[in-house]
Amino acid sequence: MSTRKRKIPQCPSEGKNSKIDRPNEVLQMCTMTEAHREGCPIIDTEDNLLQKLVYPHTPKTFMDSIWNKKALAVVNAPESRLEELIGTSLFGLDVSRLIEETSSPQIFAWMKDRNNKISSIELNEEAALRCYECGASLYFRAPPEISSMLIAAVSRSTKMFFASQYSSGELRGEVETFVSRKGNITDWHFDYMHNFTLQLSGAKRWSLSEENAVLNPIRGCTPHYSGIDTMGQQLKVHRLSNPNFHVRSIKNHETVTLTAGSFLYFPPGMWHRVECIEEDSISINISMMPSTWSDLVCDGIRHTMWRSDVLWREAISNLSSVASARARMQNLLQKLKQVVGQMTADDFLVPCMIGTTEPRATVVITDSGDCKNAREDDENDPPPPPEVKKIIIGDETVFRINSLAVLIKETDLIRQTSVSEDVATIAESTSSEDSSDECDSVYRLHVNFGNEQLESTVEIKFVVKRKFETIMDFLAARRCSFVFEDIISRLNQPNSKRESAESNSTMKLPGAAEIKYLLQNMVYYGYLSFQQSNVK
């Protein structure tokens, strides 16, 4: 099987030769011409995945005109563009291997009951394969390796950045495999994910409708197999935005048939019905579930509540009356308004969250004041992000500490975990280790951990040379705003421990340029921000 890579040509759909059918508010359908098919890129798990999926459209056209607005179907695409993906990552569509390699704990089998209605049953791998051999359709997750690669590739292409991960670092998405028998129907429903479907074999008829749709739904709506409890949860969240929302029959819809090689994107909240026609079919769907603005802000607000007033952390009890409980709550809310009113977008969206840098990394500030990024499991250290040096810091720049950030010295962690040792012994040991200028100091930065798991949105390990230690200690203990001169003054203050260390070493204090570069990193990774934005 060929593994050659094709250069992605200039998108002809932007020119006179494109064949764009029926542009409307529901479905943008693009039928590839012979010229498109000749230049069609191979779909794999490498970079530029979105460009390959939406071809002959461009990613910019897709994100500006289609993303979260309507569906896009690319049909009459060459089946050969999927050969590499199928051969290298999907076991040549061998159903038994796909089932064997799935990450799903259980596999859903769809079968018709005696009333000819399709029912969904959860089965183990062996039972699912037997049911498939007897005519059942199956639904399960794709192998973990291809799932993580496809989700990461779509995340990069759509510029989700930090929103593509949970605070734990787990990707917010999954890739589902649909192994459908001829005649299988998945009736009308909508999802809360952004969906990217690739038809691998066979054919499916898709019906799509914006009738009674919900914009940016919190949950899907699945009347085709939901029980009362599930439907009750779905209805209550959909009626937040539409008090009159009801599940009703769809009258107006658009239809498209996907054959092997075809691609379909449809946004969350769009009703759809899928029928496997003519022959058995296999398709995969990349479901993207990026975090929402409310997710980000809610974590930050709870973080702020924990930090601003100990009464927010108090267990609710001794509620003697409705009036007294409300008065207590009203007092807390008034205080919260004041605190939240002082927060800015800089606190929630720190520069490293938007760009190529992962919000979990090790940052090493070297002896020359330079910086490099490292992953603890990666031997090759990537260069520092170029955005760091774009941050402008002047002598009169006013810094503020991010109210959602905490900076912890690693020796403090050692002290806290060594509770069985004598405190004086620990202090002596730490002082002895710190006396060598060859010894690096380590600090842990955590930003926005207001979720139930206390997982940080940004988590950075700073490894700095000892000459930066006084500055880092100053920043870790600081709570009010300061200017560059405050750091210089701090360095010039007498400190018996530092002076003793300096007398036994050749270590020099950092210069102004080195200090500014350290501060640029602290701004980029979210511990510091400005009274006014200085980030280009």
Side-chain angles (χ1 to χ4, degrees):
M1 183 173 295
S2 172
T3 58
R4 59 193 175 94
K5 301 290 186 281
R6 297 183 187 173
K7 182 179 178 181
I8 299 176
Q10 183 69 28
C11 178
S13 70
E14 302 297 303
K16 296 181 180 179
N17 295 325
S18 61
K19 186 178 180 183
I20 307 298
D21 306 321
R22 299 202 315 273
N24 56 48
E25 296 303 314
V26 178
L27 172 65
Q28 179 76 58
M29 194 157 80
C30 177
T31 304
M32 283 196 189
T33 65
E34 285 303 315
H36 294 151
R37 290 169 61 89
E38 282 293 321
C40 185
I42 292 172
I43 292 179
D44 50 30
T45 57
E46 298 181 0
D47 290 336
N48 302 314
L49 178 61
L50 184 63
Q51 188 172 0
K52 299 168 185 176
L53 291 175
V54 304
Y55 174 88
H57 280 282
T58 64
K60 186 177 188 309
T61 299
F62 174 80
M63 294 304 297
D64 291 347
S65 304
I66 295 170
W67 172 262
N68 207 31
K69 296 181 180 71
K70 61 175 72 174
L72 169 66
V74 179
V75 299
N76 196 38
E79 186 176 351
S80 58
R81 72 174 183 153
L82 298 176
E83 286 180 354
E84 183 170 330
L85 184 70
I86 291 171
T88 60
S89 302
L90 293 170
F91 312 107
L93 301 185
D94 183 323
V95 174
S96 62
R97 284 295 308 279
L98 290 170
I99 291 175
E100 182 182 338
E101 298 297 330
T102 182
S103 60
S104 298
Q106 295 287 305
I107 294 172
F108 288 90
W110 291 328
M111 294 180 287
K112 291 182 180 180
D113 60 20
R114 63 182 63 185
N115 298 317
N116 210 35
K117 184 177 180 180
I118 291 179
S119 299
S120 177
I121 305 171
E122 292 186 52
L123 301 171
N124 60 31
E125 294 177 9
E126 182 179 357
L129 185 58
R130 291 200 173 199
C131 286
Y132 171 73
E133 291 169 348
C134 294
S137 297
L138 304 178
Y139 159 67
F140 51 91
R141 291 180 187 170
E145 185 176 356
I146 186 177
S147 294
S148 60
M149 289 190 293
L150 290 174
I151 294 166
V154 172
S155 300
R156 289 191 299 270
S157 299
T158 53
K159 298 183 180 180
M160 293 177 183
F161 300 128
F162 75 94
S164 66
Q165 299 180 0
Y166 293 98
S167 295
S168 63
E170 181 183 354
L171 291 170
R172 297 182 65 105
E174 61 183 34
V175 179
E176 303 102 351
T177 307
F178 294 87
V179 181
S180 305
R181 292 298 194 180
K182 178 183 176 181
N184 185 74
I185 297 175
T186 304
D187 219 337
W188 288 105
H189 67 285
F190 67 74
D191 306 315
Y192 67 96
M193 302 84 77
H194 289 269
N195 296 279
F196 299 78
T197 290
L198 277 170
Q199 188 68 32
L200 306 177
S201 69
K204 283 184 176 179
R205 181 185 297 118
W206 286 74
S207 301
L208 303 121
S209 177
E210 281 288 304
E211 190 176 304
N212 199 32
V214 175
L215 183 62
N216 300 324
I218 301 171
R219 290 288 184 270
C221 187
T222 54
H224 58 310
Y225 66 83
S226 294
I228 291 179
D229 291 343
T230 302
M231 201 65 220
Q233 183 192 72
Q234 293 175 352
L235 278 178
K236 73 181 181 183
V237 295
H238 300 323
R239 288 187 178 178
L240 287 173
S241 55
N242 180 6
N244 297 315
F245 177 85
H246 289 279
V247 176
R248 56 176 182 262
S249 59
I250 302 295
K251 298 179 181 178
N252 301 308
H253 60 83
E254 295 290 332
T255 301
V256 60
T257 298
L258 301 186
T259 57
S262 298
F263 164 75
L264 174 69
Y265 162 80
F266 58 98
M270 178 174 282
W271 288 93
H272 53 282
R273 179 182 185 271
V274 189
E275 180 180 3
C276 182
I277 59 175
E278 298 177 1
E279 58 182 322
D280 295 347
S281 149
I282 298 180
S283 62
I284 58 172
N285 186 71
I286 308 169
S287 297
M288 302 302 299
M289 300 168 276
S291 55
T292 65
W293 293 105
S294 64
D295 294 331
L296 178 66
V297 172
C298 285
D299 284 356
I301 295 297
R302 178 151 60 172
H303 183 128
T304 300
M305 293 164 71
W306 290 341
R307 176 180 174 273
S308 63
D309 197 318
V310 295
L311 293 179
W312 281 115
R313 307 198 300 264
E314 181 183 6
I316 298 174
S317 62
N318 196 25
L319 303 178
S320 55
S321 68
V322 173
S324 62
R326 285 179 173 176
R328 194 170 185 178
M329 172 62 77
Q330 191 62 36
N331 180 53
L332 283 170
L333 289 175
Q334 286 299 120
K335 293 180 179 179
L336 183 62
K337 288 178 183 179
Q338 296 174 4
V339 174
V340 172
Q342 297 172 1
M343 301 179 74
T344 70
D346 294 359
D347 298 323
F348 293 94
L349 291 170
V350 306
C352 76
M353 292 168 61
I354 303 175
T356 58
T357 306
E358 291 191 29
R360 286 163 192 81
T362 296
V363 177
V364 181
I365 307 294
T366 66
D367 198 33
S368 61
D370 287 333
C371 163
K372 62 180 181 178
N373 283 38
R375 296 294 301 272
E376 295 183 10
D377 57 351
D378 194 347
E379 296 178 358
N380 300 315
D381 298 338
E387 294 84 0
V388 172
K389 289 191 176 182
K390 294 180 182 179
I391 298 172
I392 300 172
I393 293 178
D395 292 344
E396 298 182 359
T397 299
V398 180
F399 298 92
R400 57 189 287 272
I401 305 295
N402 187 347
S403 62
L404 300 180
V406 172
L407 188 63
I408 302 173
K409 194 173 185 178
E410 193 158 89
T411 51
D412 292 341
L413 299 175
I414 296 172
R415 287 188 179 94
Q416 296 300 319
T417 55
S418 303
V419 293
S420 61
E421 293 188 45
D422 180 73
V423 175
T425 303
I426 297 171
E428 181 180 351
S429 171
T430 304
S431 177
S432 174
E433 292 174 3
D434 288 350
S435 65
S436 169
D437 59 338
E438 296 296 325
C439 188
D440 294 330
S441 296
V442 178
Y443 295 79
R444 304 273 182 172
L445 171 62
H446 299 271
V447 179
N448 195 351
F449 46 89
N451 50 76
E452 292 186 4
Q453 293 75 32
L454 296 178
E455 291 170 337
S456 304
T457 303
V458 174
E459 184 174 346
I460 303 296
K461 176 182 177 181
F462 282 100
V463 181
V464 302
K465 289 299 179 181
R466 279 204 57 253
K467 64 181 180 181
F468 296 105
E469 190 177 59
T470 299
I471 302 173
M472 296 293 283
D473 290 344
F474 167 81
L475 295 175
R478 192 78 177 182
R479 279 293 171 263
C480 56
S481 60
F482 64 94
V483 295
F484 186 76
E485 185 59 35
D486 292 327
I487 291 182
I488 302 299
S489 300
R490 174 73 175 188
L491 286 171
N492 292 330
Q493 286 179 3
N495 182 304
S496 58
K497 178 182 174 181
R498 188 176 71 244
E499 289 178 348
S500 174
E502 291 170 7
S503 64
N504 295 320
S505 72
T506 59
M507 184 185 71
K508 295 180 180 180
L509 293 177
E514 293 175 319
I515 297 172
K516 287 182 179 180
Y517 189 61
L518 174 64
L519 295 177
Q520 285 175 318
N521 278 275
M522 299 305 288
V523 171
Y524 181 74
Y525 290 103
Y527 187 66
L528 300 178
S529 62
F530 302 107
Q531 299 289 19
Q532 295 181 347
S533 180
N534 288 49
V535 181
K536 283 189 174 181

